[in-house]
Amino acid sequence: MSDQFTSPINTVEEIPALRVLVQAQRQQQASIGFVPTMGALHAGHASLIEQARRECDFVIVSIFVNPTQFGPNEDFEKYPRLREQDLSICQAAGADLVWMPTTEIMYAPDFSTVVEVKALSQILEGATRTTHFQGVTTVVTKLLLSCLPDVAFFGAKDYQQQAIIRRMCLDLNIPVEIKTCPIIRDRDGLALSSRNVYLSEAERSSALSLSQALNLAKEKIDAGETDLNQLKADMQHLLSTTPLVKLDYATIVDSHTLEEISAPQPEMVALIAAYVGETRLIDNCLLHPV
């Protein structure tokens, strides 16, 4: 059964109740849009919900802080959980239903199945966060199969994640279109992230170096730069000389395979990951040589 909280938006917890509501919409020939989130919603999430609202008849948002995608020293316990605020954002952005399963619903005590996209999950983010994407692909498979939307909406900020999910759906014949929506940034250029709340004032100022390095790459590519190794070095220098920033990687890769490249091609993506203080941030920018 769906539960009513202080927000008037309809919410549901159990998967059978979710499927009943989805089936009712299917019987009315409604198209189903789905926005999976871990809560702590911000304007970036709202933009995904709004895009789903524009494209689909019925919009579902899931809020589930997935424990299996956090490493042993990561921030699962302190990850922000802002239930009422999240429900208000969902309602304002145009969601019809918010699905809020518990950990017990998503992972039974004897849960023993995982989904892994091998090659794409072992590079970049996966090189240091070795179990992260297995947790992501397993939970996204479960989320998609629980409501079987027509379209699922993901943000471009987690570029590797959306590429992996596309591959997963293709390989497993999951009949859901994966739509990637643009990164939403603050006025100063910082990509919106639920983890930005962890940043001190000084750390937030240093975090701007991520978007500055990406802008540097884009400007040089637009100006005709063809030496990608030098361009990577320039990005890395900018980041590594910024106070409070500990660089993980700054590179340019093929936009589909995510393999590092040394010569320009029609579409590339610059990817950055760095710790700013204790907070790990990622950002990216598509590059199209003139």
Side-chain angles (χ1 to χ4, degrees):
M1 296 176 65
S2 64
D3 301 314
Q4 293 294 330
F5 298 103
T6 56
S7 171
I9 193 168
N10 195 23
T11 67
V12 67
E13 181 177 281
E14 300 285 347
I15 294 172
L18 169 70
R19 287 175 171 161
V20 167
L21 295 171
V22 171
Q23 182 60 26
Q25 293 298 318
R26 290 276 183 221
Q27 290 173 346
Q28 298 176 42
Q29 308 301 309
S31 58
I32 309 295
F34 179 50
V35 181
T37 83
M38 292 209 303
L41 304 185
H42 50 63
H45 298 105
S47 72
L48 299 179
I49 301 168
E50 290 162 358
Q51 187 64 36
R53 175 78 283 154
R54 287 190 289 269
E55 295 189 25
C56 301
D57 300 318
F58 189 78
V59 177
I60 303 167
V61 178
S62 66
I63 297 176
F64 177 63
V65 184
N66 176 38
T68 66
Q69 67 191 70
F70 288 81
N73 299 313
E74 295 181 348
D75 56 353
F76 175 70
E77 293 301 333
K78 69 172 184 173
Y79 192 87
R81 292 160 172 84
L82 308 168
R83 180 188 180 99
E84 295 304 323
Q85 178 180 306
D86 288 347
L87 290 173
S88 295
I89 291 172
C90 288
Q91 182 183 8
D96 296 296
L97 176 67
V98 180
W99 174 31
M100 306 173 74
T102 63
T103 301
E104 292 72 25
I105 287 171
M106 295 302 291
Y107 297 106
D110 58 349
F111 187 86
S112 59
T113 300
V114 297
V115 177
E116 182 179 15
V117 178
K118 289 187 177 179
L120 287 175
S121 295
Q122 296 167 351
I123 56 176
L124 300 165
E125 290 296 285
T128 54
R129 305 176 71 197
T130 55
T131 62
H132 171 69
F133 284 120
Q134 180 178 287
V136 170
T137 46
T138 300
V139 80
V140 171
T141 298
K142 289 173 66 63
L143 293 170
L144 294 178
L145 294 179
S146 294
C147 61
L148 274 182
D150 296 288
V151 188
F153 297 81
F154 291 83
K157 185 177 73 69
D158 295 314
Y159 190 90
Q160 186 175 6
Q161 173 180 277
Q162 61 84 34
I164 287 170
I165 290 168
R166 286 177 185 278
R167 182 79 251 175
M168 177 189 78
C169 289
L170 180 64
D171 289 351
L172 298 183
N173 305 113
I174 298 175
V176 177
E177 178 186 355
I178 303 301
K179 184 151 292 191
T180 304
C181 301
I183 297 172
I184 305 298
R185 300 181 181 276
D186 270 337
R187 291 180 181 179
D188 57 11
L190 183 66
L192 295 188
S193 169
S194 300
R195 291 187 167 92
N196 289 352
V197 298
Y198 302 151
L199 299 171
S200 68
E201 186 175 345
E203 289 167 349
R204 197 186 187 290
S205 178
S206 291
L208 299 180
S209 61
L210 275 72
S211 59
Q212 290 164 358
L214 294 171
N215 288 336
L216 172 67
K218 186 176 188 308
E219 288 168 4
K220 291 200 171 189
I221 287 292
D222 290 347
E225 177 64 76
T226 59
D227 187 344
L228 297 190
N229 290 329
Q230 181 60 51
L231 191 49
K232 294 172 197 175
D234 292 342
M235 294 168 60
Q236 292 161 5
H237 177 74
L238 189 157
L239 289 156
S240 61
T241 57
T242 300
L244 305 176
V245 174
K246 180 182 177 183
L247 180 61
D248 187 347
Y249 58 80
T251 190
I252 298 172
V253 302
D254 181 281
S255 62
H256 300 291
T257 67
L258 306 187
E259 293 177 355
E260 195 160 359
I261 54 178
S262 57
Q265 52 192 53
E267 182 175 84
M268 310 172 286
V269 60
L271 297 170
I272 292 173
Y275 282 92
V276 183
E278 298 297 317
T279 304
R280 194 171 194 279
L281 299 178
I282 58 174
D283 204 347
N284 68 81
C285 177
L286 284 171
L287 303 174
H288 298 94
V290 177

